[in-house]
């Protein structure tokens, strides 16, 4: 059973930065799509950034392009570096993973992901 634990959320002023971390257990070496999703109360959860552990595939939502960077530290930790934060980025951020053998495609929809963390809150004040 894959366990994901997020950390690094907090409160920051607009224009600031935060780095989210997702501790992964057991280690996921390859063949997994892993990503960050976020949700605002009353709205659907949406994908922010996704990475494939077995290759170079990375996807960003339009809202994240140029500001957020997804990365991995070996097989144990997933990161999301968020710069130039805006009030619209305020949300609960979730880490997710799913087993996937297609190196050229990772799903971006919430219902495609099997494993989820509990979330970490990000609040950006203007």
């Amino acid at each position: 059973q894959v366990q994901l634990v997020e950390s690094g959320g907090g409160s920051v002023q607009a224009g600031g930065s935060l780095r989210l971390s997702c501790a992964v257990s057991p280690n996921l070496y390859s063949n997994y799509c892993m990503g960050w999703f976020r949700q605002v109360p009353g709205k659907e959860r949406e994908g922010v950034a996704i990475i494939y552990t077995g290759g170079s595939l990375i996807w960003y939502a339009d809202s994240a392009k140029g500001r957020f960077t997804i990365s991995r530290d070996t097989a144990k930790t997933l990161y999301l570096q968020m710069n130039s934060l805006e009030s619209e980025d305020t949300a609960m951020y979730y880490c997710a993973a799913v087993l996937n053998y297609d190196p050229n495609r990772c799903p971006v929809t919430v219902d495609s992901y099997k494993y989820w963390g509990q979330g970490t809150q990000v609040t950006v004040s203007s």
Side-chain angles (χ1 to χ4, degrees), residues 26-58:
N27 297 348
L28 301 182
Y29 291 99
S30 61
N31 303 123
Y32 275 85
C33 294
M34 297 194 67
W36 290 95
F37 293 75
R38 67 186 182 186
Q39 188 170 22
V40 175
K43 293 189 177 181
E44 293 186 354
R45 193 172 297 187
E46 62 179 8
V48 176
I50 293 167
I51 190 168
Y52 185 62
T53 62
S56 60
L57 177 66
I58 292 178

Side-chain angles (χ1 to χ4, degrees), residues 12-108:
V12 64
Q13 289 191 332
S17 299
L18 281 174
R19 189 193 196 197
L20 305 184
S21 299
C22 174
V24 182
S25 176
N27 297 348
L28 301 182
Y29 291 99
S30 61
N31 303 123
Y32 275 85
C33 294
M34 297 194 67
W36 290 95
F37 293 75
R38 67 186 182 186
Q39 188 170 22
V40 175
K43 293 189 177 181
E44 293 186 354
R45 193 172 297 187
E46 62 179 8
V48 176
I50 293 167
I51 190 168
Y52 185 62
T53 62
S56 60
L57 177 66
I58 292 178
W59 171 89
Y60 292 102
D62 288 342
S63 59
K65 289 178 181 177
R67 300 187 302 126
F68 295 1
T69 302
I70 189 171
S71 63
R72 293 173 64 233
D73 176 7
T74 64
K76 293 185 177 181
T77 310
L78 181 72
Y79 300 100
L80 185 68
Q81 177 67 43
M82 303 188 296
N83 299 327
S84 302
L85 283 163
E86 305 167 351
S87 57
E88 292 78 12
D89 296 316
T90 295
M92 183 72 78
Y93 283 72
Y94 298 90
C95 176
V98 64
L99 184 64
N100 181 66
Y101 291 103
D102 184 351
N104 298 310
R105 178 186 175 277
C106 276
V108 300

